[in-house]
Amino acid sequence: MTAVATAPITRDAQPARRRKRGSMRRERAWALRWSYFFLVLFAVICLTPPVYMLITSLKTSAEISAATNPWWVYNPTLGNYVALLSSTEFLTFFRNSAVVSVLVVSITMLISVPAAFALSRMRFWGSATIATGIFLTYLIPDSLLFIPLFNMFAVFHEWTGIELINHWYVLLLVYPTLTVPFCTWVMIGYFASIPRELDEAALIDGANYRQVLTRIFIPVALPGLIAATIFAFTVSWAQFLYPLAFTTSTDQLVLPVGIISSLIKGDVFNWGQIMTGALLTAAPPLIIYAFLMDYYIAGLTAGATKG
Amino acid sequence: MVVALVRDVEARPEKRKRSGLHRTMQRKSMIAFLMTLPLILLVGIFVLYPAFYSLHLATLNRSMERFVGLGNFEFLFRRETFWMVVKQSCIFAITAVVFKAIFGFVVAHFVHNIPSKGQRKWRGMLLVPWVMPTAMSCLAWLWLFDPSYSAFNWLLARVGIDPVPWTGHVIWARFSIILVNIWIGAPFFMIMYLAALKSVPEQLYEAAAVDGASWWQRIWYVTLPMMRNIIAITVLFSLIVTFANFDIVRILTAGGPIDQTHIFATWAFRVGLEAGDIPLGASVSLFMVPILAIAAIFILRDINRRGNEA
């Protein structure tokens, strides 16, 4: 009925509509062109520092200090990479970083996954308060805590004789404070989206809570788990303030601090090697991001939109 | 059906052994509590305790032997550098967050405008500044800003502009650290706003177009109201992170020239660890608390409101 009634009207209005649609299409095309123009511009801005890192890392010291075009490599060389990868210092930093990051990721997952499961499914006295409290601790920045933590570790040394300051393993204690709250929060969001019928059915079939967690929740919420793992890794890989405050000896440093404090000697900046080191340090997060971009972005947006 | 079955199963032991059910319920919450315990201990020992401990530290003298009450704060209030740090922190945080939000919003629109097939690629490139470790990208910027070999100055020289003292002059140094902060932070806003843009129903734009709304009216009356929540929460988040920022200023200027680009975190590091006055450093960093608390209250309110809606 309505189709019959409206058909003549649309046919009448067609010429005008076509003209309008044509102008809209032209408008669209222009909007698209402008969008691409600005996207190219912004992408260039975004990629300039990493590309410039690469350019500098391929130059010799002589070329860096020459008055030639800094944006072009005239005599590309891998000398900086060879020098850095054969220096024991850099390899020590790399090993420290890798060990710390892997251990921190494991600790984070061992703490936050059971906690998120308990907080999202097994309600107990105070569980709602704890969930909100965890989110708030995520908002307490490292720059507020490093001074009291430094003093706490010093006092701990006086009491027990165990030296924490200036040992890489002190980072295993402080990094989880940066990763666990966020990962728990993200996992609560993912766990809460699993239908209750699933775990109720399993419980009726005689599964216990450990089985519900390992056989149902972890497989179903795997994307969330991957996102949280990526987050924990990138945070512990890139953290700068805590290692700068708590470690000083060359053999205890992690990459970001190691590069800054060992390659910058006094006022002499060996820029070729610094940029090479910076690029190699930035590489693992960038590679992970390149392959798991969707998980990375899911984790990023989950923190603010879930819950 | 399932629910009825569950109730049936749950009800049966209750009839037989009431105390048994009570005990299993207790056991269940005990297990749940134990599963959360590592988290509670971690947060308690390494976040909450140090937070309150810094309040205590702030009341001690330099050698941490004598209680001086509010002496450290009095000392700070009389120092010109302190007020400069307050001013600089506010300028830095507010300017950076405003521009990050604006750039994020604009770029999100550009990405949203192009066909969805190509969006992934662009999104991937535009998020690189956020993915790179901050300290490392700051090194790249430091090298780009180098006083004698600045690659930007070389480009400027091509078009006949005098070299810019990127980190050498107060105004330029402040501009540079804000610029780098925007470069790092804007992609995060872009991703958030892009996700929000995708959740705005297309019908609303169609309805607006039928009503003859202009491009500007569509943004003002449709997009912005629909994205109000996400804009508020990202701005608050970013305000906290930017206000507490350390890496960028530390690496680019280390507070210089003559302490004029210090913000709370870097100055606290300077007086607390480098100059060895831990109580004074703790007092400096405590000044971050009010702004963090205000932002946290707003975020919490937003979370609770969403919790009630669900």
Side-chain angles (χ1 to χ4, degrees):
Chain A
M1 276 279 274
T2 43
V4 176
T6 51
I9 297 169
T10 41
R11 198 169 300 150
D12 277 355
Q14 217 161 30
R17 216 175 111 179
R18 190 180 297 157
R19 204 183 312 134
K20 204 173 168 199
R21 217 201 263 160
S23 84
M24 258 174 84
R25 196 181 299 151
R26 219 173 308 134
E27 211 177 278
R28 270 258 156 116
W30 271 108
L32 201 63
R33 248 168 262 166
W34 278 112
S35 297
Y36 277 120
F37 172 76
F38 280 107
L39 282 178
V40 170
L41 185 72
F42 283 117
V44 167
I45 295 171
C46 282
L47 297 178
T48 297
V51 168
Y52 194 59
M53 272 177 171
L54 181 68
I55 291 174
T56 309
S57 74
L58 296 172
K59 287 182 183 179
T60 58
S61 297
E63 193 179 339
I64 288 170
S65 47
T68 50
N69 180 355
W71 298 94
W72 190 254
V73 192
Y74 294 97
N75 305 302
T77 166
L78 287 175
N80 289 319
Y81 290 86
V82 174
L84 214 54
L85 289 173
S86 58
S87 86
T88 44
E89 268 186 4
F90 181 81
L91 294 177
T92 313
F93 303 153
F94 199 92
R95 198 198 56 214
N96 287 346
S97 261
V99 170
V100 168
S101 301
V102 169
L103 287 177
V104 167
V105 167
S106 321
I107 295 171
T108 305
M109 287 303 134
L110 286 177
I111 296 179
S112 66
V113 170
F117 178 70
L119 289 172
S120 64
R121 273 305 198 267
M122 307 159 76
R123 305 237 158 234
F124 60 95
W125 186 83
S127 58
T129 318
I130 291 173
T132 317
I134 284 159
F135 185 71
L136 285 184
T137 56
Y138 173 57
L139 302 178
I140 300 179
D142 49 2
S143 44
L144 186 64
L145 299 176
F146 73 97
I147 289 177
L149 280 171
F150 185 86
N151 211 52
M152 267 169 71
F153 294 142
V155 172
F156 183 75
H157 175 58
E158 272 169 38
W159 283 358
T160 62
I162 301 170
E163 179 74 286
L164 288 170
I165 296 287
N166 202 9
H167 286 103
W168 61 267
Y169 44 76
V170 69
L171 303 177
L172 298 181
L173 295 175
V174 291
Y175 280 8
T177 61
L178 304 167
T179 54
V180 166
F182 182 82
C183 289
T184 311
W185 182 252
V186 168
M187 289 316 292
I188 289 177
Y190 274 95
F191 283 166
S193 67
I194 296 173
R196 266 177 191 282
E197 286 78 15
L198 216 56
D199 41 311
E200 274 162 3
L203 287 175
I204 290 164
D205 288 345
N208 59 29
Y209 276 107
R210 195 174 52 85
Q211 285 168 320
V212 172
L213 177 61
T214 54
R215 301 266 176 88
I216 298 176
F217 273 64
I218 290 178
V220 172
L222 197 62
L225 210 67
I226 296 174
T229 309
I230 295 173
F231 172 84
F233 177 80
T234 45
V235 164
S236 42
W237 187 267
Q239 197 2 274
F240 179 66
L241 173 55
Y242 282 155
L244 187 68
F246 300 148
T247 53
T248 43
S249 308
T250 318
D251 58 333
Q252 304 296 330
L253 294 180
V254 290
L255 270 174
V257 178
I259 285 176
I260 286 171
S261 58
S262 83
L263 292 179
I264 299 177
K265 288 175 182 118
D267 279 343
V268 184
F269 286 61
N270 186 352
W271 279 112
Q273 283 198 19
I274 294 174
M275 286 299 106
T276 311
L279 199 64
L280 290 174
T281 307
L286 284 174
I287 291 169
I288 291 175
Y289 168 69
F291 285 101
L292 300 169
M293 190 168 85
D294 294 321
Y295 292 109
Y296 190 98
I297 289 172
L300 208 60
T301 43
T305 53
K306 274 223 168 73
Chain B
M1 273 273 274
V2 179
V3 177
L5 198 70
V6 172
R7 202 167 293 152
D8 194 37
V9 171
E10 276 176 359
R12 233 182 291 146
E14 193 183 10
K15 262 181 228 156
R16 272 189 227 149
K17 257 199 263 168
R18 209 196 159 79
S19 63
L21 176 71
H22 191 65
R23 208 177 302 142
T24 44
M25 283 305 287
Q26 251 184 346
R27 234 188 81 212
K28 185 187 134 189
S29 67
M30 195 64 213
I31 293 171
F33 180 72
L34 286 177
M35 284 167 92
T36 336
L37 195 62
L39 173 78
I40 296 170
L41 286 178
L42 177 85
V43 168
I45 296 172
F46 294 112
V47 180
L48 295 182
Y49 179 73
F52 285 101
Y53 187 51
S54 70
L55 276 178
H56 168 70
L57 279 177
T59 62
L60 300 177
N61 71 341
R62 190 186 172 118
S63 56
M64 289 185 278
E65 286 156 340
R66 201 160 44 82
F67 178 81
V68 293
L70 296 175
N72 282 320
F73 295 100
E74 235 172 83
F75 176 74
L76 284 177
F77 288 151
R78 276 187 277 116
R79 274 183 79 169
E80 216 176 299
T81 317
F82 172 74
W83 293 109
M84 202 154 65
V85 169
V86 173
K87 201 181 89 187
Q88 169 61 8
S89 294
C90 294
I91 295 174
F92 171 71
I94 294 168
T95 321
V97 170
V98 166
F99 280 100
K100 278 190 269 190
I102 292 173
F103 277 113
F105 190 78
V106 170
V107 179
H109 267 88
F110 289 135
V111 178
H112 191 61
N113 262 351
I114 65 170
S116 47
K117 215 167 44 173
Q119 282 183 13
R120 214 181 107 92
K121 191 178 65 196
W122 288 102
R123 202 181 52 173
M125 277 194 274
L126 293 168
L127 198 61
V128 165
W130 177 262
V131 180
M132 277 176 71
T134 322
M136 297 301 102
S137 43
C138 284
L139 273 181
W141 281 102
L142 184 65
W143 173 221
L144 282 163
F145 289 153
D146 190 88
S148 29
Y149 298 107
S150 170
F152 288 147
N153 283 347
W154 185 87
L155 285 179
L156 292 180
R158 298 295 98 181
V159 287
I161 298 173
D162 285 339
V164 171
W166 295 103
T167 54
H169 186 269
V170 190
I171 303 294
W172 279 108
R174 288 180 178 165
F175 168 82
S176 301
I177 54 180
I178 291 171
L179 176 78
V180 173
N181 195 317
I182 296 169
W183 180 82
I184 290 169
F188 171 73
F189 280 82
M190 185 270 292
I191 286 294
M192 288 299 181
Y193 293 164
L194 190 60
L197 274 178
K198 297 216 180 294
S199 67
V200 178
E202 196 60 34
Q203 291 98 306
L204 291 182
Y205 290 113
E206 279 164 22
V210 168
D211 289 345
S214 68
W215 164 86
W216 175 245
Q217 283 170 320
R218 261 176 302 184
I219 288 190
W220 191 253
Y221 292 107
V222 181
T223 317
L224 280 176
M226 289 302 284
M227 287 173 60
R228 213 184 54 204
N229 265 342
I230 193 82
I231 290 176
I233 206 147
T234 42
V235 165
L236 288 169
F237 253 123
S238 178
L239 200 61
I240 290 179
V241 176
T242 314
F243 210 77
N245 184 275
F246 176 80
D247 314 13
I248 298 173
V249 176
R250 172 78 195 177
I251 293 173
L252 283 182
T253 67
I258 359 170
D259 289 343
Q260 280 169 315
T261 54
H262 265 310
I263 54 178
F264 283 123
T266 53
W267 203 49
F269 191 89
R270 172 63 53 85
V271 298
L273 295 190
E274 290 183 327
D277 194 340
I278 286 186
L280 196 63
S283 322
V284 170
S285 58
L286 278 176
F287 279 94
M288 283 188 276
V289 172
I291 186 105
L292 299 181
I294 293 169
I297 289 168
F298 278 106
I299 291 177
L300 197 65
R301 216 181 52 177
D302 181 82
I303 290 170
N304 283 341
R305 200 170 48 216
R306 262 195 260 179
N308 294 340
E309 278 166 14

